[in-house]
């Protein structure tokens, strides 16, 4: 039976990419953030904190979808922004994301009642499902903001944006939209809209068509589309 790591460890490719973006050693930053986070109970489990980077190598990133922090309910957070494990009831924001994806890609919206909220298949195709804060206290949204994760995840966005080749940055809500300032290369595309939360989805998220928009940009620049 594999042992549980004491703290999250970035894959080597991501650590190398971030070294040029950060002043402090990357591993030290990760460890420091996690030690601050684990002053109390923490979500997701340690082995899943950097799961987005494990499933999506840095040189395979085609789309970045930026969230804020992990789900804080029991059994929800799985290390991928907006995603939950199969069999977990869809959180409202994720249900809205899948509703928009179905409408945008002309899929069967009616089947969402039985849909899985596990977005691993997106991550495996090059969609970096990244939260700007990588841990949360159970039941306390945004409780780990300001612990230092933002330094790490900003460096991740910068590293992806610094690489050549077409990439699409999908930034939902004002918090995520602030990261657009890190994207400068002309072959990249930034798509912004309201957040998919029920509090804002009807103010510009529904109908924004980010999935077809991302695919249109990728294919226009010679890259394969995502099977959303």
């Amino acid at each position: 039976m594999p042992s549980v790591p004491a703290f999250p460890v970035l894959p080597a490719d991501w650590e190398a990419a971030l070294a040029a973006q950060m002043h402090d050693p990357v591993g030290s930053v990760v460890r420091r953030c996690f030690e601050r986070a684990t002053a109390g109970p923490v979500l997701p489990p340690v082995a899943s904190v950097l799961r987005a980077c494990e499933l999506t190598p840095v040189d395979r990133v085609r789309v970045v979808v930026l969230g804020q922090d992990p789900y804080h309910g029991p059994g929800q957070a799985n290390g991928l922004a907006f995603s939950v494990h199969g069999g977990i009831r869809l959180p409202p924001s994720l249900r809205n994301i899948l509703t928009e994806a179905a409408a945008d890609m002309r899929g069967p919206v009616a089947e969402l009642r039985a849909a899985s909220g596990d977005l691993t298949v997106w991550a495996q195709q090059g969609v970096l499902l990244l939260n700007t804060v990588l841990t949360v206290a159970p039941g306390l949204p945004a409780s780990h903001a300001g612990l230092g994760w933002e330094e790490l995840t900003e460096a991740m966005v910068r590293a992806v944006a610094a690489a050549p080749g077409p990439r699409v940055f999908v930034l939902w809500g004002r918090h995520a939209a602030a990261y657009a300032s890190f994207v400068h290369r002309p072959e990249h595309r930034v798509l912004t809209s309201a957040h998919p939360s029920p509090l804002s989805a009807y103010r510009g998220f529904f109908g924004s068509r980010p999935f077809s928009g991302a695919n249109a940009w990728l294919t226009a620049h010679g890259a394969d589309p995502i099977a959303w």
Side-chain angles (χ1 to χ4, degrees):
M1 184 175 181
S3 59
V4 177
F7 59 92
V9 178
L10 268 170
D13 63 321
W14 275 102
E15 185 161 2
L18 298 188
Q21 303 292 332
M22 301 178 69
H23 299 295
D24 296 331
V26 179
S28 298
V29 174
V30 173
R31 185 165 191 162
R32 182 169 66 244
C33 292
F34 190 70
E35 287 175 345
R36 291 171 178 168
T38 51
V42 64
L43 296 171
V46 57
S48 296
V49 169
L50 294 171
R51 186 164 171 254
C53 297
E54 293 165 2
L55 290 176
T56 312
V58 65
D59 63 352
R60 291 190 58 207
V61 176
R62 289 186 283 158
V63 178
V64 177
V65 175
L66 204 60
Q68 191 160 346
D69 63 346
Y71 294 125
H72 55 87
Q76 291 181 319
N78 70 1
L80 303 178
F82 297 108
S83 176
V84 295
H85 290 297
I88 299 294
R89 183 177 180 180
L90 299 181
S93 290
L94 178 55
R95 177 168 289 276
N96 288 342
I97 289 169
L98 295 179
T99 297
E100 175 63 16
D104 187 6
M105 306 305 292
R106 293 174 171 33
V109 178
E111 292 183 5
L112 281 174
R113 293 184 183 276
S116 169
D118 187 350
L119 304 182
T120 297
V121 66
W122 291 3
Q124 291 171 333
Q125 295 178 76
V127 181
L128 181 65
L129 295 163
L130 182 66
N131 283 312
T132 59
V133 175
L134 299 181
T135 58
V136 70
L140 296 172
S143 52
H144 289 175
L147 295 186
W149 288 124
E150 296 90 342
E151 176 187 359
L152 181 73
T153 54
E154 177 184 320
M156 290 180 185
V157 174
R158 287 183 182 274
V160 173
R167 287 167 176 80
V168 180
F169 294 78
V170 179
L171 310 178
W172 291 325
R174 285 179 296 176
H175 177 84
Y179 283 69
S181 63
F182 307 141
V183 183
H184 303 295
R185 298 183 71 99
E187 67 267 40
H188 300 334
R189 178 83 162 106
V190 175
L191 300 175
T192 60
S193 76
H195 193 276
S197 163
L199 298 176
S200 56
Y202 288 94
R203 297 201 298 267
F205 174 74
F206 287 132
S208 61
R209 305 191 66 189
F211 307 98
S212 63
N215 280 355
W217 186 263
L218 292 173
T219 56
H221 289 78
D224 291 334
I226 304 295
W228 301 103

